[in-house]
Amino acid sequence: MAVKIKLKRLGKIRSPHYRIVVADSRTRRDGRAIEEIGKYHPTYHPSVIEVDEERVAYWLGVGAQPTEPVLAILKKTGDWQKFKGEPAPAPLLVAQPKSARPSFEALGGDDAGKGEAITQKKKADKKDEAAAESESTEA
């Protein structure tokens, strides 16, 4: 039985999420898997890649063949280089946690209002204009 390490697609139509799975090469893309060994979320910035290094090393050691997309992911994480005995790649870009937005009070805001906003009512203006026009036509 030929075993492949491939991507299993999850998620909605325009927001794909993938699981890196070990499956029989004859199964469907999203079919039954032997084991899930990682996650890949390409729509996040930067992409989220989580791989169980021990399980990847085991499956590569027993002869599982990665598909092209999985091979690219394994090269980015450095697992492929460990398996082949090559030097490790540069570390991946890790997302920095977002800092909380400062509150209104922290920015020096005060609760005292600067005054009321006064806008004239449009309905009153139209009535005044209509009254002025009727007076000018009567005179």
Side-chain angles (χ1 to χ4, degrees):
M1 172 171 83
V3 178
K4 288 214 175 255
I5 303 174
K6 56 186 179 178
L7 294 176
K8 178 179 182 180
R9 190 182 195 283
L10 303 168
K12 296 180 181 178
I13 293 175
R14 287 180 181 79
S15 63
H17 300 315
Y18 297 94
R19 299 252 170 95
I20 301 171
V21 298
V22 177
D24 183 10
S25 63
R26 297 169 289 186
T27 60
R28 302 176 297 192
R29 177 191 68 180
D30 300 334
R32 200 168 106 195
I34 298 171
E35 182 180 0
E36 292 182 1
I37 57 173
K39 296 178 185 177
Y40 174 53
H41 301 285
T43 55
Y44 296 160
H45 188 276
S47 300
V48 175
I49 300 173
E50 296 176 11
V51 178
D52 186 1
E53 298 175 12
E54 295 175 3
R55 298 308 296 165
V56 169
Y58 168 77
W59 283 108
L60 290 173
V62 296
Q65 296 296 315
T67 59
E68 289 182 21
V70 173
L71 182 61
I73 291 171
L74 294 179
K75 284 183 179 179
K76 286 188 179 185
T77 60
D79 293 321
W80 184 253
Q81 286 85 345
K82 285 181 190 175
F83 176 67
K84 290 292 188 178
E86 298 172 359
L92 289 175
L93 177 65
V94 178
Q96 298 176 359
K98 293 184 178 180
S99 61
R101 294 180 66 186
S103 65
F104 182 72
E105 291 80 22
L107 293 174
D110 54 348
D111 288 337
K114 299 199 183 208
E116 294 183 23
I118 301 173
T119 56
Q120 298 186 4
K121 297 181 180 178
K122 294 182 179 179
K123 293 180 181 177
D125 292 338
K126 291 180 181 178
K127 290 179 182 177
D128 292 339
E129 290 175 9
E133 286 179 17
S134 63
E135 290 177 6
S136 62
T137 55
E138 291 176 5

